[in-house]
Amino acid sequence: EAAERFPQMLRDQGCPKVATSDLTRDDLAEAVEDAFRYGTLVVAASSYDAGLFPPMHDFLWHLQIKGWQKRRAAVIENGSRVMTEMLSAMKDITLVGGKVTLRSRMHAGDIPALEALADAVVTL
């Protein structure tokens, strides 16, 4: 639900262009292409067996081996630190807004944190 609502939050904050990808359904190559096209990437994924959901792991691994660098990233996760670690290992990646952690599913109390993250992504 958070991954579906967050793009609209970005638009509401004035972000002129928002591209989204569902890594379980969309073409991985197009998602990688979009990551190189824009200056800021927001990743959102659930954990999987105490690790990272495999399609997200593949996506971040592809960015890493293709030299994705000198960009900004934000993280929406539910407990695993793998996305943050993988992004931090890349060259000149600035993590913005602090990560947002959602436990099991999105709750009404999580909306202010998501809105603050949207503001941080759009403000720079």
mmCIF file of all heavy atoms in Angstrom, residues 90-124:
data_model
loop_
_atom_site.group_PDB
_atom_site.id
_atom_site.type_symbol
_atom_site.label_atom_id
_atom_site.label_comp_id
_atom_site.label_asym_id
_atom_site.label_seq_id
_atom_site.Cartn_x
_atom_site.Cartn_y
_atom_site.Cartn_z
ATOM 1 N N MET A 90 27.452 1.728 -2.922
ATOM 2 C CA MET A 90 27.642 2.329 -4.243
ATOM 3 C C MET A 90 28.315 3.691 -4.111
ATOM 4 O O MET A 90 28.222 4.350 -3.085
ATOM 5 C CB MET A 90 26.292 2.452 -4.955
ATOM 6 C CG MET A 90 25.646 1.117 -5.233
ATOM 7 S SD MET A 90 24.042 1.320 -6.024
ATOM 8 C CE MET A 90 23.246 -0.209 -5.551
ATOM 9 N N LYS A 91 28.978 4.109 -5.166
ATOM 10 C CA LYS A 91 29.785 5.330 -5.143
ATOM 11 C C LYS A 91 28.913 6.592 -5.188
ATOM 12 O O LYS A 91 28.052 6.738 -6.039
ATOM 13 C CB LYS A 91 30.738 5.324 -6.349
ATOM 14 C CG LYS A 91 31.721 6.458 -6.358
ATOM 15 C CD LYS A 91 32.663 6.334 -7.532
ATOM 16 C CE LYS A 91 33.621 7.497 -7.561
ATOM 17 N NZ LYS A 91 34.511 7.407 -8.714
ATOM 18 N N ASP A 92 29.170 7.489 -4.249
ATOM 19 C CA ASP A 92 28.539 8.816 -4.203
ATOM 20 C C ASP A 92 27.007 8.762 -4.202
ATOM 21 O O ASP A 92 26.350 9.542 -4.880
ATOM 22 C CB ASP A 92 29.017 9.692 -5.364
ATOM 23 C CG ASP A 92 30.488 10.030 -5.265
ATOM 24 O OD1 ASP A 92 30.987 10.172 -4.134
ATOM 25 O OD2 ASP A 92 31.144 10.143 -6.318
ATOM 26 N N ILE A 93 26.459 7.856 -3.423
ATOM 27 C CA ILE A 93 25.007 7.786 -3.249
ATOM 28 C C ILE A 93 24.665 8.482 -1.935
ATOM 29 O O ILE A 93 25.216 8.144 -0.888
ATOM 30 C CB ILE A 93 24.505 6.330 -3.228
ATOM 31 C CG1 ILE A 93 24.835 5.628 -4.545
ATOM 32 C CG2 ILE A 93 23.002 6.283 -2.934
ATOM 33 C CD1 ILE A 93 24.262 6.275 -5.782
ATOM 34 N N THR A 94 23.783 9.452 -1.999
ATOM 35 C CA THR A 94 23.345 10.179 -0.823
ATOM 36 C C THR A 94 21.973 9.648 -0.417
ATOM 37 O O THR A 94 21.023 9.710 -1.205
ATOM 38 C CB THR A 94 23.249 11.685 -1.123
ATOM 39 O OG1 THR A 94 24.529 12.142 -1.567
ATOM 40 C CG2 THR A 94 22.812 12.461 0.110
ATOM 41 N N LEU A 95 21.881 9.119 0.788
ATOM 42 C CA LEU A 95 20.591 8.667 1.310
ATOM 43 C C LEU A 95 19.868 9.868 1.897
ATOM 44 O O LEU A 95 20.413 10.560 2.757
ATOM 45 C CB LEU A 95 20.786 7.569 2.350
ATOM 46 C CG LEU A 95 21.400 6.277 1.807
ATOM 47 C CD1 LEU A 95 21.670 5.295 2.930
ATOM 48 C CD2 LEU A 95 20.504 5.655 0.756
ATOM 49 N N VAL A 96 18.667 10.129 1.424
ATOM 50 C CA VAL A 96 17.924 11.313 1.853
ATOM 51 C C VAL A 96 16.741 10.927 2.735
ATOM 52 O O VAL A 96 16.156 9.868 2.584
ATOM 53 C CB VAL A 96 17.418 12.144 0.647
ATOM 54 C CG1 VAL A 96 18.576 12.696 -0.142
ATOM 55 C CG2 VAL A 96 16.507 11.346 -0.233
ATOM 56 N N GLY A 97 16.421 11.814 3.646
ATOM 57 C CA GLY A 97 15.212 11.696 4.432
ATOM 58 C C GLY A 97 15.195 10.622 5.492
ATOM 59 O O GLY A 97 14.198 10.450 6.151
ATOM 60 N N GLY A 98 16.257 9.903 5.675
ATOM 61 C CA GLY A 98 16.212 8.795 6.613
ATOM 62 C C GLY A 98 15.275 7.728 6.092
ATOM 63 O O GLY A 98 14.346 8.010 5.356
ATOM 64 N N LYS A 99 15.516 6.499 6.452
ATOM 65 C CA LYS A 99 14.638 5.448 5.939
ATOM 66 C C LYS A 99 13.339 5.415 6.731
ATOM 67 O O LYS A 99 13.290 5.785 7.903
ATOM 68 C CB LYS A 99 15.335 4.096 5.973
ATOM 69 C CG LYS A 99 15.541 3.536 7.343
ATOM 70 C CD LYS A 99 16.223 2.193 7.268
ATOM 71 C CE LYS A 99 16.539 1.744 8.679
ATOM 72 N NZ LYS A 99 17.386 0.598 8.713
ATOM 73 N N VAL A 100 12.297 4.988 6.069
ATOM 74 C CA VAL A 100 10.998 4.815 6.705
ATOM 75 C C VAL A 100 10.795 3.320 6.890
ATOM 76 O O VAL A 100 10.901 2.551 5.937
ATOM 77 C CB VAL A 100 9.865 5.420 5.849
ATOM 78 C CG1 VAL A 100 8.510 5.095 6.445
ATOM 79 C CG2 VAL A 100 10.051 6.919 5.719
ATOM 80 N N THR A 101 10.519 2.902 8.109
ATOM 81 C CA THR A 101 10.306 1.495 8.411
ATOM 82 C C THR A 101 8.829 1.263 8.710
ATOM 83 O O THR A 101 8.267 1.893 9.599
ATOM 84 C CB THR A 101 11.162 1.057 9.615
ATOM 85 O OG1 THR A 101 12.537 1.301 9.314
ATOM 86 C CG2 THR A 101 10.976 -0.414 9.919
ATOM 87 N N LEU A 102 8.230 0.366 7.945
ATOM 88 C CA LEU A 102 6.837 -0.015 8.130
ATOM 89 C C LEU A 102 6.812 -1.453 8.617
ATOM 90 O O LEU A 102 7.390 -2.326 7.987
ATOM 91 C CB LEU A 102 6.053 0.092 6.818
ATOM 92 C CG LEU A 102 6.139 1.435 6.086
ATOM 93 C CD1 LEU A 102 5.388 1.356 4.768
ATOM 94 C CD2 LEU A 102 5.585 2.546 6.945
ATOM 95 N N ARG A 103 6.152 -1.710 9.703
ATOM 96 C CA ARG A 103 6.075 -3.059 10.268
ATOM 97 C C ARG A 103 4.841 -3.776 9.745
ATOM 98 O O ARG A 103 3.725 -3.312 9.937
ATOM 99 C CB ARG A 103 6.041 -3.012 11.793
ATOM 100 C CG ARG A 103 7.250 -2.361 12.392
ATOM 101 C CD ARG A 103 8.459 -3.228 12.197
ATOM 102 N NE ARG A 103 9.628 -2.549 12.767
ATOM 103 C CZ ARG A 103 10.835 -2.922 12.545
ATOM 104 N NH1 ARG A 103 11.095 -3.949 11.791
ATOM 105 N NH2 ARG A 103 11.846 -2.267 13.086
ATOM 106 N N SER A 104 5.024 -4.860 9.084
ATOM 107 C CA SER A 104 4.014 -5.757 8.518
ATOM 108 C C SER A 104 3.162 -5.108 7.428
ATOM 109 O O SER A 104 3.061 -5.640 6.344
ATOM 110 C CB SER A 104 3.148 -6.409 9.595
ATOM 111 O OG SER A 104 2.231 -5.532 10.160
ATOM 112 N N ARG A 105 2.552 -3.989 7.677
ATOM 113 C CA ARG A 105 1.768 -3.277 6.676
ATOM 114 C C ARG A 105 1.689 -1.813 7.068
ATOM 115 O O ARG A 105 2.018 -1.446 8.188
ATOM 116 C CB ARG A 105 0.379 -3.879 6.531
ATOM 117 C CG ARG A 105 -0.479 -3.785 7.781
ATOM 118 C CD ARG A 105 -1.779 -4.545 7.704
ATOM 119 N NE ARG A 105 -2.964 -3.906 7.211
ATOM 120 C CZ ARG A 105 -3.555 -2.826 7.719
ATOM 121 N NH1 ARG A 105 -3.025 -2.186 8.715
ATOM 122 N NH2 ARG A 105 -4.668 -2.363 7.221
ATOM 123 N N MET A 106 1.232 -0.978 6.139
ATOM 124 C CA MET A 106 1.141 0.447 6.418
ATOM 125 C C MET A 106 -0.047 0.725 7.336
ATOM 126 O O MET A 106 -1.129 0.156 7.168
ATOM 127 C CB MET A 106 0.974 1.229 5.121
ATOM 128 C CG MET A 106 1.139 2.713 5.320
ATOM 129 S SD MET A 106 1.152 3.624 3.789
ATOM 130 C CE MET A 106 -0.551 4.065 3.673
ATOM 131 N N HIS A 107 0.176 1.607 8.299
ATOM 132 C CA HIS A 107 -0.858 2.038 9.229
ATOM 133 C C HIS A 107 -1.028 3.552 9.094
ATOM 134 O O HIS A 107 -0.141 4.238 8.575
ATOM 135 C CB HIS A 107 -0.469 1.685 10.666
ATOM 136 C CG HIS A 107 -0.328 0.218 10.883
ATOM 137 N ND1 HIS A 107 0.832 -0.459 10.619
ATOM 138 C CD2 HIS A 107 -1.211 -0.713 11.320
ATOM 139 C CE1 HIS A 107 0.678 -1.742 10.898
ATOM 140 N NE2 HIS A 107 -0.561 -1.921 11.327
ATOM 141 N N ALA A 108 -2.119 4.068 9.594
ATOM 142 C CA ALA A 108 -2.375 5.516 9.531
ATOM 143 C C ALA A 108 -1.246 6.307 10.183
ATOM 144 O O ALA A 108 -0.900 7.393 9.729
ATOM 145 C CB ALA A 108 -3.713 5.837 10.190
ATOM 146 N N GLY A 109 -0.641 5.759 11.227
ATOM 147 C CA GLY A 109 0.454 6.438 11.908
ATOM 148 C C GLY A 109 1.733 6.534 11.089
ATOM 149 O O GLY A 109 2.635 7.297 11.427
ATOM 150 N N ASP A 110 1.811 5.784 9.996
ATOM 151 C CA ASP A 110 2.995 5.822 9.137
ATOM 152 C C ASP A 110 2.935 6.942 8.106
ATOM 153 O O ASP A 110 3.954 7.302 7.512
ATOM 154 C CB ASP A 110 3.158 4.485 8.389
ATOM 155 C CG ASP A 110 3.392 3.322 9.332
ATOM 156 O OD1 ASP A 110 4.127 3.500 10.325
ATOM 157 O OD2 ASP A 110 2.845 2.228 9.070
ATOM 158 N N ILE A 111 1.771 7.496 7.887
ATOM 159 C CA ILE A 111 1.597 8.512 6.845
ATOM 160 C C ILE A 111 2.461 9.748 7.075
ATOM 161 O O ILE A 111 3.096 10.233 6.136
ATOM 162 C CB ILE A 111 0.106 8.861 6.663
ATOM 163 C CG1 ILE A 111 -0.603 7.639 6.072
ATOM 164 C CG2 ILE A 111 -0.082 10.087 5.778
ATOM 165 C CD1 ILE A 111 -2.103 7.772 5.981
ATOM 166 N N PRO A 112 2.573 10.295 8.305
ATOM 167 C CA PRO A 112 3.451 11.461 8.486
ATOM 168 C C PRO A 112 4.914 11.178 8.109
ATOM 169 O O PRO A 112 5.573 12.033 7.521
ATOM 170 C CB PRO A 112 3.310 11.790 9.977
ATOM 171 C CG PRO A 112 1.965 11.270 10.347
ATOM 172 C CD PRO A 112 1.795 10.020 9.526
ATOM 173 N N ALA A 113 5.415 9.996 8.416
ATOM 174 C CA ALA A 113 6.802 9.649 8.055
ATOM 175 C C ALA A 113 6.958 9.572 6.540
ATOM 176 O O ALA A 113 7.967 10.021 5.985
ATOM 177 C CB ALA A 113 7.210 8.341 8.712
ATOM 178 N N LEU A 114 5.971 9.010 5.857
ATOM 179 C CA LEU A 114 6.019 8.942 4.394
ATOM 180 C C LEU A 114 5.930 10.331 3.770
ATOM 181 O O LEU A 114 6.642 10.634 2.812
ATOM 182 C CB LEU A 114 4.895 8.048 3.865
ATOM 183 C CG LEU A 114 5.070 6.561 4.105
ATOM 184 C CD1 LEU A 114 3.785 5.809 3.787
ATOM 185 C CD2 LEU A 114 6.226 6.011 3.290
ATOM 186 N N GLU A 115 5.078 11.195 4.334
ATOM 187 C CA GLU A 115 4.975 12.565 3.824
ATOM 188 C C GLU A 115 6.269 13.336 4.047
ATOM 189 O O GLU A 115 6.698 14.109 3.184
ATOM 190 C CB GLU A 115 3.792 13.284 4.466
ATOM 191 C CG GLU A 115 2.459 12.761 3.967
ATOM 192 C CD GLU A 115 1.253 13.349 4.680
ATOM 193 O OE1 GLU A 115 1.418 13.874 5.816
ATOM 194 O OE2 GLU A 115 0.151 13.273 4.124
ATOM 195 N N ALA A 116 6.917 13.120 5.197
ATOM 196 C CA ALA A 116 8.200 13.772 5.464
ATOM 197 C C ALA A 116 9.267 13.269 4.490
ATOM 198 O O ALA A 116 10.109 14.044 4.017
ATOM 199 C CB ALA A 116 8.636 13.514 6.908
ATOM 200 N N LEU A 117 9.238 11.987 4.169
ATOM 201 C CA LEU A 117 10.181 11.440 3.207
ATOM 202 C C LEU A 117 9.920 12.039 1.815
ATOM 203 O O LEU A 117 10.872 12.425 1.118
ATOM 204 C CB LEU A 117 10.088 9.917 3.146
ATOM 205 C CG LEU A 117 11.069 9.224 2.209
ATOM 206 C CD1 LEU A 117 12.515 9.483 2.641
ATOM 207 C CD2 LEU A 117 10.784 7.725 2.167
ATOM 208 N N ALA A 118 8.664 12.156 1.427
ATOM 209 C CA ALA A 118 8.329 12.768 0.146
ATOM 210 C C ALA A 118 8.843 14.199 0.096
ATOM 211 O O ALA A 118 9.398 14.641 -0.914
ATOM 212 C CB ALA A 118 6.818 12.720 -0.096
ATOM 213 N N ASP A 119 8.687 14.936 1.182
ATOM 214 C CA ASP A 119 9.185 16.316 1.247
ATOM 215 C C ASP A 119 10.703 16.360 1.098
ATOM 216 O O ASP A 119 11.244 17.185 0.378
ATOM 217 C CB ASP A 119 8.741 16.960 2.557
ATOM 218 C CG ASP A 119 9.131 18.419 2.633
ATOM 219 O OD1 ASP A 119 8.792 19.170 1.689
ATOM 220 O OD2 ASP A 119 9.778 18.801 3.616
ATOM 221 N N ALA A 120 11.399 15.424 1.772
ATOM 222 C CA ALA A 120 12.864 15.379 1.681
ATOM 223 C C ALA A 120 13.319 15.040 0.273
ATOM 224 O O ALA A 120 14.321 15.565 -0.221
ATOM 225 C CB ALA A 120 13.421 14.374 2.677
ATOM 226 N N VAL A 121 12.594 14.149 -0.400
ATOM 227 C CA VAL A 121 12.963 13.759 -1.760
ATOM 228 C C VAL A 121 12.773 14.933 -2.725
ATOM 229 O O VAL A 121 13.624 15.174 -3.596
ATOM 230 C CB VAL A 121 12.117 12.543 -2.227
ATOM 231 C CG1 VAL A 121 12.223 12.310 -3.709
ATOM 232 C CG2 VAL A 121 12.542 11.283 -1.455
ATOM 233 N N VAL A 122 11.692 15.650 -2.560
ATOM 234 C CA VAL A 122 11.382 16.749 -3.493
ATOM 235 C C VAL A 122 12.198 17.997 -3.209
ATOM 236 O O VAL A 122 12.582 18.719 -4.114
ATOM 237 C CB VAL A 122 9.874 17.081 -3.437
ATOM 238 C CG1 VAL A 122 9.541 18.312 -4.227
ATOM 239 C CG2 VAL A 122 9.067 15.888 -3.955
ATOM 240 N N THR A 123 12.564 18.224 -1.912
ATOM 241 C CA THR A 123 13.258 19.487 -1.517
ATOM 242 C C THR A 123 14.728 19.412 -1.871
ATOM 243 O O THR A 123 15.203 19.361 -1.507
ATOM 244 C CB THR A 123 13.142 19.662 -0.012
ATOM 245 O OG1 THR A 123 11.807 19.709 0.359
ATOM 246 C CG2 THR A 123 13.763 20.938 0.445
ATOM 247 N N LEU A 124 15.407 19.278 -2.555
ATOM 248 C CA LEU A 124 16.853 19.380 -2.759
ATOM 249 C C LEU A 124 17.128 19.645 -4.164
ATOM 250 O O LEU A 124 16.793 19.428 -5.151
ATOM 251 C CB LEU A 124 17.628 18.167 -2.282
ATOM 252 C CG LEU A 124 18.007 18.127 -0.825
ATOM 253 C CD1 LEU A 124 18.746 16.856 -0.522
ATOM 254 C CD2 LEU A 124 18.798 19.281 -0.342
#
